[in-house]
Amino acid sequence: MSNTSREHKIFAGNGSADLGKKIGEFFGQGLGGIKLQTFSDGEMAPYFTESIRGANVFLVQSTMAPAENLLELCLMIDAAKRASAYKVIAVLPYFGYARQDRKDKPRIAIGAKLVANILTAAGADRIMTCDLHAGQIQGFFDIPVDHLDGSAIFVPYLRSLNLDNLLFASPDVGGVKRTREFAQHFNAEMVVIDKHRKRPNEVAEMRIIGSVEGKNVVLIDDLVDTGGTLCKAAKICMDEGAKSVRAVCTHPVLSGKAYENIEGSVLDELVVTDTIPLKQESSKIRVLTVAELFAKAIKNITTDGSISQLFI
């Protein structure tokens, strides 16, 4: 049986219920039936309420919060394999633990590799995700990985703002490649904000490599956690003579005092996607949906089409 003649079903975990529903709508069909039984001690037991025998099954679940949503996804994968699904594709709009992609200090785990092993061991046949913290994480998998690019959503939005004297800024050295790709879409220049971090979620020192004077600055990053780095970077840009500063971050982790930090910052706006649902509303946060992008990618997989044509 060819891939195009098989049934294709999309299911969503609790961590991505709203996004999963949108993806299903853009794909042209509703979500499949799945329920999550939870015992009083917190143990989870997801089960499908319809037949998936012989079908390509897409399971949408961001791993944020990391532990519970990752385990729920693994249980969903296992349930699908045991229900005789033909292929199980784990769709992780946000891939948690991606910041742990190397040994940057002695005696530390490489969390991203461990999660790759866990998903593969659970029975995933394919992974689909968006804007990994580091692109090389794809190499941690021995199964196909479809790595979608959020710039397909952000670039059209930034063009719609019609900003002059545009300048792109990377809030750290690790984000230079991502920032350069954005700058090339606009034939714009870029700068790097060098930071030294003494401990996680605390920035000790920052300085701009380049000039931002008179520019409309766009900070580019894959995720925003507490917002400390972005807010401090924005302030430094304004102090150095920038006309305005906004930030573009795919994944709104937004933990701790993030909302308070962003509301009190000099940022004009923070543009994010719905890979992770917001915990609260904010006048400075604009959310763009990745649902259509993922729906198109799923459609291309079901028709044996190209994923790379979705990039800009």
Side-chain angles (χ1 to χ4, degrees):
M1 183 184 292
S2 69
N3 197 35
T4 53
S5 59
R6 288 190 181 277
E7 261 195 301
H8 311 288
K9 297 192 174 186
I10 303 173
F11 300 87
N14 282 345
S16 298
D18 290 340
L19 177 57
K21 184 179 179 182
K22 291 179 188 174
I23 291 173
E25 289 171 353
F26 277 111
F27 184 73
Q29 67 183 49
L31 288 179
I34 189 169
K35 289 189 177 180
L36 180 67
Q37 180 182 359
T38 306
F39 296 97
S40 61
D41 65 349
E43 184 178 322
M44 296 175 287
Y47 62 96
F48 296 92
T49 60
E50 61 187 74
S51 174
I52 55 174
R53 183 180 297 274
N56 285 318
V57 173
F58 295 85
L59 303 175
V60 183
Q61 176 83 312
S62 284
T63 52
M64 172 66 195
E68 285 193 6
N69 286 346
L70 175 59
L71 181 56
E72 182 185 341
L73 175 59
C74 288
L75 291 168
M76 290 164 63
I77 294 170
D78 186 69
K81 298 297 283 190
R82 295 179 188 279
S84 300
Y86 176 67
K87 295 286 186 183
V88 179
I89 300 91
V91 180
L92 296 89
Y94 170 66
F95 184 95
Y97 291 96
R99 285 173 283 185
Q100 301 179 45
D101 61 342
R102 65 196 184 282
K103 284 192 71 173
D104 56 357
K105 60 175 69 71
R107 300 173 296 280
I108 192 170
I110 303 179
K113 172 57 176 170
L114 177 61
V115 170
N117 289 345
I118 290 171
L119 291 170
T120 304
D125 295 294
R126 191 183 194 104
I127 302 293
M128 183 184 295
T129 188
C130 180
D131 285 352
L132 287 166
H133 188 64
Q136 59 266 27
I137 290 173
Q138 297 171 77
F140 291 170
F141 289 91
D142 292 324
I143 56 177
V145 177
D146 299 305
H147 186 208
L148 305 184
D149 191 340
S151 64
I153 296 163
F154 291 123
V155 168
Y157 173 74
L158 291 173
R159 288 194 193 282
S160 73
L161 299 178
N162 294 316
L163 297 170
D164 58 356
N165 294 320
L166 202 57
L167 179 76
F168 290 86
S170 174
D172 55 40
V173 175
V176 168
K177 181 177 181 293
R178 188 189 317 272
T179 305
R180 183 180 291 117
E181 289 171 353
F182 268 85
Q184 287 172 347
H185 285 299
F186 294 85
N187 293 318
E189 296 180 351
M190 64 167 284
V191 299
V192 179
I193 300 174
D194 182 39
K195 70 178 179 183
H196 172 66
R197 197 190 294 271
K198 288 186 177 179
R199 57 185 64 88
N201 300 124
E202 182 179 318
V203 178
E205 182 182 358
M206 275 188 164
R207 60 183 176 181
I208 299 176
I209 303 174
S211 174
V212 298
E213 188 171 356
K215 301 289 187 177
N216 286 304
V217 178
V218 181
L219 292 159
I220 303 293
D221 213 343
D222 63 301
L223 64 84
V224 51
D225 193 347
T226 64
T229 297
L230 278 183
C231 294
K232 189 168 184 179
K235 184 177 186 307
I236 290 173
C237 287
M238 292 301 290
D239 290 345
E240 292 287 325
K243 187 187 293 186
S244 71
V245 184
R246 55 183 27 85
V248 166
C249 301
T250 307
H251 310 296
V253 176
L254 299 176
S255 66
K257 295 183 178 180
Y259 288 92
E260 181 182 330
N261 291 338
I262 291 162
E263 283 292 334
S265 73
V266 298
L267 284 168
D268 278 32
E269 64 177 347
L270 168 62
V271 188
V272 299
T273 73
D274 55 355
T275 56
I276 302 171
L278 295 188
K279 301 179 188 72
Q280 66 186 68
E281 294 296 318
S282 171
S283 61
K284 287 197 173 186
I285 300 177
R286 177 181 293 273
V287 181
L288 307 179
T289 186
V290 293
E292 186 173 9
L293 177 64
F294 274 92
K296 287 179 178 177
I298 291 172
K299 177 74 75 176
N300 286 6
I301 287 175
T302 62
T303 58
D304 294 325
S306 170
I307 299 297
S308 61
Q309 70 178 16
L310 300 177
F311 301 163
I312 59 173

